[in-house]
């Protein structure tokens, strides 16, 4: 009967002891998280649950915890909540907050001798900046930085140096503290690099629209050139939105190379960034070692980690932030430290502390607990977690991922190298330029139909158009040698392009300016205005201005025999015949000749006229007149007739041998001096601008262009100019008009005209040339220029 009461008393005592152990465990951890860090709380609770189930570490002892959430930008609230936790008797304080409150918690932990394990986090996944926590050499520093120092400056500098960049721009989001890369900016400035900074606002679409509204076309092109090399220091969500906007607005081209650096980028973010971008992409992020053996991924020594955290296929694990991983490893580190204290039987019980009282004393066991934590080390989700002499975690690894130049979706991402503060960069980074191998590249080509440079053959039903011509031959030769393919289309407005009132360009050049095409080719001349907005290869053919004129029509004239002499000369000859005939008659009438016996010749006026005419055309007979005066008169007449007939015969022979009627216009100078034939060119074309600039230049010595500009600019250019070259050619053929245009084009038109109705005159001075136009800053310029001798 006495045993039962004893068992009852023991049972009650054990129950009370068990409840007391669960209610007031000697292993009590306090945690302070930012209000936005709900996942930190989930991982923290998961870690405590995993360790409480591991009997090999804590055996029968269990961890209890208290969690509180604070506003990360309110240091006073953070200190107040930490004091409440210390009143509950915590052995260590775990915080996952930003830099604003970290310094206040550091001071409190130092004063109360409470080990403080600080996991720095940043707003919305924005890259971290160093918190600048004050470290002293004394033994009163109780804050341990679980996350390694911010090495972004060192990593970016090494990568940029490897890529040999000399000019680039850094974009950063509104949450990033730009002072975090001040050290990097100082070093690149010392090395002579040209670096620009631009903050990316939350409304990215509005920011891009403002750029187009405020920048002139030349400034916008310089800005596009700067964007060819850029570093993005921003959170993944902002980076994806920013890349999408600049690609859709054609601010970046195929040859751009961007570096995105952020510790928080996961695999899903990497694939999405690559899918949205063009050009080349390099991604720098923090990486953690993963066991090669899949069955061992969830085991770290004698501890099993929850599968939701260690399985990379688990949705929860895929969306984990780096701070979550460090929180789990922090709890694991504390559990191992508590295990050592229990083994050594050096446990110091902790009475409740008060932060408010002036005479409150710090925890006596704080230094011993801190040293145990610092000397310990664990292998967890982040690899090796340990602390150096300065209270920081030195173990950090960055991996560098990258893509090649390409526009196709789903391009592969490969590992280019890795970096750590001990060994530095392991791998080779080169910013490969486009060389002779462009296989797999598809270029968008814009053109303007212009014989003989670009022509289109008959479009067979069901088959695409086939382009041919001299420029197409050049393009095909480049394609065969370099290995690229191309898709060609005609400029929507069928123009080469000229600046508009709002500063934009139309035509072929406009397609390149707005990044709708990669290259432009046709009878395109290299001009200073065009070179301000697009790039050109070296000239592949000289260019000169020519004039197209219509040949004079050939007609059969039955009076062509009269052509050697002018009408007035013929009238004089006729009058001379009549006059000489009258004189012969008068001389014979005044002094009648003695006629031979049997002569029937009469000295009438009619006979005298006929005699003079017959002798003139070398058909007359023997002179019937024998007087001296008459003979002297006829001798002078015959000499006159000889000279006239000889001159006529020579002129007639020359006239009949002419097979081509030469025009009086033989050069541009001749064209400019005459006003009988109006002439013009294509309105707002390169020829039009060339004549305008030279004609309005007061220092131009040759007045030829001034005279030409007066003719071309009649009625503000609307009278004598045309909108297309074909219209000018037709105007020459069917009207009184001369067309000023490219000499090569006009010669082709004249040679291939079925009616042979044209002839051309040219300018022997070639001050310009034909070139291939490319986007401003295009990587193909040098490649194409080097192969102009194909």
């Amino acid at each position: 009967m006495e045993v039962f009461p004893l068992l009852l008393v023991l049972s009650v005592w054990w129950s009370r002891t068990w409840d007391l152990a669960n209610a007031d465990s000697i292993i009590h951890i306090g945690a302070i998280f930012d209000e936005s860090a709900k996942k930190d709380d989930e991982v923290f609770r998961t870690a405590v649950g995993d360790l409480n189930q591991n009997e090999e570490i804590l055996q029968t002892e269990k961890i209890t915890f208290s969690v509180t959430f604070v506003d990360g930008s309110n240091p006073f609230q953070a200190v107040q909540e930490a004091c409440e936790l210390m009143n509950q008797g915590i052995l260590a304080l775990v915080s996952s907050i930003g830099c604003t409150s970290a310094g206040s918690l550091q001071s409190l932990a130092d004063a109360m001798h409470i080990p403080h394990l600080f996991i720095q986090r940043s707003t919305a996944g924005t890259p971290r900046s160093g918190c600048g926590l004050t470290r002293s050499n004394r033994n009163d520093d109780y804050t341990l930085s679980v996350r390694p120092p911010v090495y972004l400056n060192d990593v970016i500098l090494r990568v940029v140096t490897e890529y040999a960049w000399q000019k680039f721009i850094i974009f950063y989001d509104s949450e990033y503290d730009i002072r975090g890369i001040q050290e990097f900016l100082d070093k690149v400035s010392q090395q002579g690099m040209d670096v620009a900074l631009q903050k990316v606002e939350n409304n990215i679409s509005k920011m891009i629209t403002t750029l187009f509204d405020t920048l002139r076309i030349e400034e916008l092109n310089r800005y596009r050139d700067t964007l060819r090399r850029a570093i993005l220091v921003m959170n993944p969500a902002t980076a994806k939105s920013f890349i999408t906007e600049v690609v859709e607005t054609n601010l970046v081209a195929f040859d751009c190379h961007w570096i995105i650096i952020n510790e928080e980028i996961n695999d899903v973010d990497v694939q999405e960034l690559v899918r949205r971008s063009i050009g080349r992409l390099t991604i720098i992020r923090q990486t953690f070692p993963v066991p090669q053996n899949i069955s061992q991924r969830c085991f770290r020594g004698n501890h099993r980690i929850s599968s939701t955290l260690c399985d990379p296929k688990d949705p929860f694990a895929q969306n984990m932030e780096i701070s979550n991983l460090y929180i789990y490893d922090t709890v694991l580190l504390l559990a191992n430290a508590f295990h050592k204290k229990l083994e050594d039987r050096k446990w110091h019980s902790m009475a409740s502390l008060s932060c408010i009282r002036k005479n409150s004393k710090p925890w006596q066991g704080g230094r011993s607990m801190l040293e145990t934590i610092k000397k310990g080390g664990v292998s967890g989700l982040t690899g090796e977690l340990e602390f150096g002499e300065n209270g920081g975690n030195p173990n950090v690894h960055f991996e560098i991922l990258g893509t090649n130049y390409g526009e196709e979706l789903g391009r592969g991402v490969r590992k280019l190298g890795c970096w750590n503060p001990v060994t530095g960069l392991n791998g080779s980074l080169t910013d490969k330029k486009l060389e002779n191998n462009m296989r797999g590249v598809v270029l968008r080509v814009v053109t303007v139909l212009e014989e003989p440079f670009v022509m289109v053959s008959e479009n067979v039903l069901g088959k695409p158009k086939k382009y041919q011509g001299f420029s197409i031959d050049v393009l095909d030769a480049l394609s065969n040698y370099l290995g690229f393919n191309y898709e060609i289309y005609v400029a929507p407005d069928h123009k080469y392009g000229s600046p508009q009132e709002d500063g934009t360009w139309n035509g072929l050049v406009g397609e390149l300016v707005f990044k709708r095409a990669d290259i432009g080719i046709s009878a395109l001349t290299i001009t200073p205005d065009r070179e301000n907005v697009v790039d050109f290869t070296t000239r592949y053919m000289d260019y000169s201005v020519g004039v197209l004129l219509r040949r004079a029509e050939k007609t059969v004239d039955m009076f062509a025999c009269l052509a050697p002499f002018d009408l007035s000369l013929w009238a004089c000859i006729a009058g001379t015949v009549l006059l000489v005939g009258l004189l012969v008659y008068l001389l014979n009438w005044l002094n009648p000749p003695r006629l031979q016996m049997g002569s029937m010749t009469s000295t009438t006026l009619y006979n005298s006229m006929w005699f003079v005419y017959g002798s003139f055309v070398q058909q007359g007979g023997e002179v019937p007149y024998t007087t001296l005066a008459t003979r002297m008169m006829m001798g002078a007449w015959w000499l006159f007739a000889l000279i006239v007939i000889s001159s006529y015969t020579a002129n007639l022979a020359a006239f009949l041998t002419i097979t081509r009627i030469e025009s009086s216009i033989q050069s541009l100078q001749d064209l400019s001096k005459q006003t009988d034939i109006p002439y013009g060119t294509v309105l707002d074309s390169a020829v039009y601008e060339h004549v305008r600039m030279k004609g309005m230049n007061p220092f131009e010595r040759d007045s030829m262009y001034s005279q030409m500009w007066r003719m071309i600019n009649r009625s503000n250019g609307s009278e004598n100019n045309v909108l297309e070259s074909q219209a000018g050619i037709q105007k020459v053929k069917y009207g009184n008009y001369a067309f000023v245009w490219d000499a090569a084009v006009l010669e082709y038109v004249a040679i291939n005209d079925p009616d042979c109705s044209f002839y051309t005159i040219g300018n022997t001075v070639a001050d310009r040339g034909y070139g291939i136009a490319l986007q401003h800053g295009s990587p193909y310029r040098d490649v194409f220029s080097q192969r102009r001798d194909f």
Side-chain angles (χ1 to χ4, degrees):
M1 294 296 295
E2 297 178 357
V3 177
F4 180 78
L6 178 62
L7 292 176
L8 181 61
V9 171
L10 290 174
S11 176
V12 173
W13 174 82
W14 175 255
S15 177
R16 290 180 178 178
T17 303
W18 178 257
D19 293 339
L20 181 63
N22 283 291
D24 299 312
S25 172
I26 62 173
I27 303 179
H28 188 190
I29 304 175
I32 297 179
F33 298 136
D34 192 282
E35 292 176 342
S36 61
K38 300 299 182 181
K39 188 170 290 188
D40 286 350
D41 177 52
E42 294 182 37
V43 175
F44 180 80
R45 295 176 184 273
T46 302
V48 173
D50 289 347
L51 290 164
N52 283 338
Q53 294 177 4
N54 190 336
E55 297 181 354
E56 295 185 9
I57 295 181
L58 295 178
Q59 299 177 357
T60 60
E61 190 62 40
K62 303 298 180 183
I63 299 176
T64 59
F65 60 88
S66 299
V67 177
T68 184
F69 294 92
V70 298
D71 181 2
S73 60
N74 190 343
F76 178 78
Q77 182 187 8
V79 172
Q80 187 178 19
E81 294 295 341
C83 286
E84 292 294 334
L85 293 176
M86 292 178 185
N87 290 339
Q88 299 177 22
I90 60 175
L91 301 178
L93 176 65
V94 178
S95 69
S96 174
I97 54 178
C99 296
T100 305
S101 302
S104 300
L105 292 181
Q106 180 190 21
S107 300
L108 178 63
D110 292 345
M112 305 307 296
H113 290 190
I114 300 295
H116 172 212
L117 284 82
F118 168 57
I119 298 111
Q120 181 186 356
R121 63 176 291 107
S122 55
T123 305
T126 297
R128 295 185 299 151
S129 297
C131 282
L133 298 179
T134 304
R135 297 286 179 184
S136 64
N137 296 326
R138 298 176 297 175
N139 293 327
D140 57 355
D141 194 352
Y142 280 81
T143 297
L144 302 176
S145 296
V146 177
R147 291 190 72 168
V150 182
Y151 286 102
L152 296 186
N153 288 322
D154 303 279
V155 181
I156 299 176
L157 181 62
R158 184 58 192 275
V159 171
V160 170
T161 303
E162 286 290 315
Y163 282 142
W165 285 10
Q166 292 299 319
K167 181 179 179 180
F168 53 91
I169 185 171
I170 298 177
F171 291 100
Y172 62 97
D173 60 31
S174 57
E175 301 293 339
Y176 181 71
D177 186 358
I178 193 61
R179 293 174 295 180
I181 58 172
Q182 185 60 49
E183 181 183 355
F184 166 75
L185 296 175
D186 294 339
K187 289 183 179 180
V188 297
S189 177
Q190 294 172 3
Q191 298 180 15
M193 299 182 186
D194 185 2
V195 184
L197 293 173
Q198 183 169 347
K199 183 178 181 180
V200 177
E201 304 294 342
N202 294 329
N203 192 339
I204 300 175
S205 178
K206 181 179 179 181
M207 185 189 77
I208 300 298
T209 304
T210 304
L211 285 176
F212 280 96
D213 293 340
T214 57
L215 296 182
R216 298 193 305 269
I217 188 69
E218 295 81 4
E219 295 173 335
L220 193 61
N221 282 318
R222 286 194 295 268
Y223 185 73
R224 283 194 177 104
D225 187 43
T226 304
L227 291 182
R228 294 177 60 219
R229 300 291 180 266
I231 298 176
L232 271 58
V233 186
M234 55 183 66
N235 66 71
T238 304
K240 287 182 280 190
S241 300
F242 181 71
I243 290 176
T244 301
E245 286 291 335
V246 295
V247 169
E248 290 181 352
T249 55
N250 294 313
L251 272 178
V252 291
F254 171 73
D255 67 309
C256 71
H257 185 180
W258 284 13
I259 298 174
I260 303 178
I261 183 165
N262 192 339
E263 299 163 311
E264 300 285 351
I265 299 178
N266 56 35
D267 292 341
V268 177
D269 293 331
V270 170
Q271 294 297 331
E272 188 67 18
L273 288 168
V274 171
R275 188 186 69 82
R276 299 188 183 200
S277 66
I278 61 175
R280 188 178 182 189
L281 198 65
T282 298
I283 300 174
I284 304 173
R285 66 176 182 177
Q286 188 175 352
T287 185
F288 305 102
V290 178
Q292 298 295 329
N293 189 347
I294 299 178
S295 61
Q296 297 297 320
R297 284 185 178 177
C298 294
F299 288 91
R300 299 295 188 272
N302 59 351
H303 176 64
R304 178 180 177 85
I305 303 173
S306 175
S307 60
T308 57
L309 304 179
C310 61
D311 186 1
K313 296 182 179 180
D314 191 281
F316 188 86
Q318 291 178 353
N319 296 319
M320 285 182 61
E321 299 176 0
I322 291 181
S323 60
N324 306 149
L325 303 178
Y326 279 112
I327 284 176
Y328 191 98
D329 289 354
T330 299
V331 178
L332 179 60
L333 177 68
L334 289 174
N336 279 273
F338 298 152
H339 175 69
K340 289 181 181 181
K341 297 291 290 184
L342 290 171
E343 278 188 338
D344 296 341
R345 300 181 183 277
K346 295 181 180 179
W347 195 271
H348 296 274
S349 61
M350 177 181 174
S352 297
L353 301 176
S354 176
C355 305
I356 301 177
R357 297 177 183 176
K358 295 183 179 179
N359 58 352
S360 61
K361 296 181 179 180
W363 180 32
Q364 295 181 356
R367 172 54 53 185
S368 175
M369 181 64 72
L370 179 67
E371 292 298 328
T372 303
I373 295 173
K374 290 178 66 174
K375 292 179 181 179
V378 294
S379 176
L381 293 174
T382 61
E384 295 295 327
L385 175 58
E386 56 187 359
F387 298 100
E389 292 297 328
N390 61 350
N393 177 13
N395 298 317
V396 64
H397 298 273
F398 287 89
E399 68 175 351
I400 304 171
L401 308 174
T403 64
N404 293 323
Y405 287 108
E407 293 179 321
E408 65 276 8
L409 300 179
R411 334 176 242 164
V413 182
R414 60 189 180 93
K415 186 174 181 179
L416 304 178
C418 56
W419 184 94
N420 64 72
V422 178
T423 62
L425 179 65
N426 181 16
S428 178
L429 304 179
T430 55
D431 195 5
K432 295 182 179 180
K433 296 182 179 180
L434 294 172
E435 298 177 352
N436 289 341
N437 186 7
M438 292 175 59
R439 302 196 179 279
V441 177
V442 179
L443 300 180
R444 298 184 299 272
V445 181
V446 60
T447 188
V448 173
L449 297 180
E450 189 76 81
E451 298 178 346
F453 291 86
V454 179
M455 301 173 287
V456 61
S457 60
E458 293 295 333
N459 185 19
V460 180
L461 185 62
K463 295 184 178 180
K465 294 181 179 180
K466 184 177 181 181
Y467 294 88
Q468 58 188 8
F470 181 73
S471 295
I472 303 301
D473 293 341
V474 173
L475 186 62
D476 288 338
L478 287 170
S479 175
N480 293 333
Y481 180 82
L482 299 174
F484 66 86
N485 296 319
Y486 64 86
E487 299 173 352
I488 189 169
Y489 69 97
V490 178
D493 55 3
H494 304 279
K495 295 182 178 180
Y496 288 99
S498 59
Q500 305 300 297
E501 294 181 357
D502 58 355
T504 61
W505 282 69
N506 62 354
L508 181 149
V509 177
E511 295 295 300
L512 296 172
V513 169
F514 291 104
K515 309 293 183 182
R516 290 189 285 266
D518 297 305
I519 63 175
I521 192 168
S522 186
L524 189 66
T525 53
I526 304 172
T527 65
D529 288 340
R530 290 171 178 170
E531 285 186 305
N532 287 333
V533 294
V534 297
D535 286 345
F536 279 95
T537 62
T538 55
R539 64 173 66 182
Y540 60 84
M541 180 179 173
D542 289 335
Y543 163 85
S544 63
V545 176
V547 182
L548 184 69
L549 294 138
R550 186 180 61 176
R551 294 179 184 272
E553 297 182 359
K554 295 182 179 180
T555 58
V556 178
D557 188 3
M558 60 182 300
F559 298 102
C561 59
L562 301 178
F565 288 162
D566 191 66
L567 182 62
S568 60
L569 182 58
W570 284 116
C572 292
I573 293 174
T576 304
V577 171
L578 295 175
L579 179 62
V580 173
L582 180 62
L583 290 175
V584 171
Y585 170 76
L586 292 175
L587 288 175
N588 285 300
W589 181 73
L590 295 174
N591 188 13
R594 294 188 298 269
L595 300 178
Q596 297 179 1
M597 295 297 294
S599 176
M600 299 300 293
T601 303
S602 174
T603 58
T604 63
L605 179 61
Y606 171 78
N607 290 336
S608 297
M609 293 290 183
W610 185 252
F611 172 74
V612 171
Y613 173 74
S615 61
F616 177 78
V617 296
Q618 299 180 356
Q619 298 297 322
E622 183 65 24
V623 180
Y625 309 115
T626 58
T627 62
L628 179 61
T630 304
R631 290 180 181 271
M632 292 179 60
M633 182 68 174
M634 293 306 301
W637 171 248
W638 288 340
L639 180 61
F640 169 78
L642 176 64
I643 295 173
V644 172
I645 295 299
S646 299
S647 300
Y648 174 81
T649 304
N651 289 337
L652 181 61
F655 177 79
L656 294 177
T657 56
I658 293 177
T659 57
R660 175 184 176 187
I661 301 176
E662 296 290 348
S663 172
S664 61
I665 302 175
Q666 299 297 321
S667 63
L668 288 177
Q669 287 80 0
D670 296 338
L671 181 70
S672 64
K673 293 177 181 178
Q674 60 84 42
T675 56
D676 296 333
I677 301 178
Y679 52 89
T681 184
V682 176
L683 191 65
D684 294 332
S685 64
V687 177
Y688 180 87
E689 291 298 322
H690 178 70
V691 175
R692 183 184 66 83
M693 291 181 63
K694 284 187 170 292
M696 299 181 66
N697 185 3
F699 301 101
E700 186 73 27
R701 294 182 179 180
D702 191 356
S703 61
M704 177 188 72
Y705 286 104
S706 298
Q707 296 170 347
M708 291 182 65
W709 176 243
R710 283 193 292 269
M711 174 66 76
I712 290 176
N713 195 41
R714 284 184 179 178
S715 302
N716 293 326
S718 61
E719 180 178 343
N720 293 328
N721 296 298
V722 294
L723 298 179
E724 295 183 359
S725 58
Q726 288 298 323
I729 295 171
Q730 294 299 315
K731 194 172 180 179
V732 173
K733 190 168 187 177
Y734 298 107
N736 184 35
Y737 184 73
F739 183 49
V740 182
W741 196 236
D742 294 1
V745 175
L746 298 181
E747 289 176 3
Y748 177 84
V749 171
I751 293 174
N752 291 274
D753 182 59
D755 301 328
C756 296
S757 57
F758 298 122
Y759 75 97
T760 62
I761 58 174
N763 186 7
T764 57
V765 179
D767 56 347
R768 285 181 291 169
Y770 298 98
I772 300 175
L774 308 99
Q775 293 179 5
H776 193 71
S778 174
Y780 312 124
R781 178 182 58 184
D782 295 335
V783 180
F784 287 0
S785 297
Q786 292 169 2
R787 294 310 307 165
R788 66 183 185 276
D789 56 343
F790 43 84

